[in-house]
Amino acid sequence: MFTLPEEFPGLERIYKQYKSTGFNILGVSIDDSHRKWLNAIEKDKLTWENVISPGGFKSQIAVDFQIFAIPSNYLLNKEGVVIAKDITTQELDAVLKKYIGD
């Protein structure tokens, strides 16, 4: 789910549809500017939880998840195991329909 700003409306729809089932989104920024990060959240009207791990590609989260490009995304199961990486919102929707239902 390459989370480019133009995909946020689809991601928002998926989030609202599945959040009552335990599905959650955590947006993680590796930006060094706290102000730019907050402005982007407000501009894009992101309703899910967002955190910042400053330091760019040397930030702890980027190192831990081997993030070499932005945007990157990971789909984890309930046990915290990565089950998909860099999927589109359409692929995410299909996975959630398969495992959670409508």
Side-chain angles (χ1 to χ4, degrees):
M1 123 187 98
F2 288 105
T3 48
L4 298 171
E6 56 268 16
E7 290 200 16
F8 288 150
L11 198 54
E12 180 70 24
R13 178 191 57 76
I14 292 169
Y15 177 63
K16 286 180 179 178
Q17 182 176 353
Y18 291 103
K19 70 180 182 177
S20 66
T21 68
F23 172 74
N24 202 358
I25 296 174
L26 174 62
V28 181
S29 172
I30 58 174
D31 198 332
D32 283 324
S33 172
H34 195 260
R35 178 169 290 176
K36 286 181 182 179
W37 168 65
L38 290 174
N39 288 343
I41 292 169
E42 184 177 332
K43 177 183 168 261
D44 295 327
K45 298 179 175 93
L46 304 181
T47 60
W48 49 82
E49 186 174 356
N50 287 274
V51 297
I52 188 169
S53 179
F57 293 108
K58 293 182 180 180
S59 70
Q60 192 61 54
I61 195 80
V63 171
D64 289 349
F65 279 86
Q66 300 178 353
I67 297 171
F68 303 111
I70 298 173
S72 293
N73 65 71
Y74 300 81
L75 180 60
L76 286 66
N77 65 14
K78 289 181 180 182
E79 291 75 36
V81 175
V82 175
I83 59 172
K85 181 179 179 209
D86 295 331
I87 61 174
T88 66
T89 52
Q90 291 172 337
E91 292 167 324
L92 173 63
D93 201 21
V95 168
L96 293 175
K97 283 179 182 172
K98 179 179 178 182
Y99 290 102
I100 297 175
D102 288 324

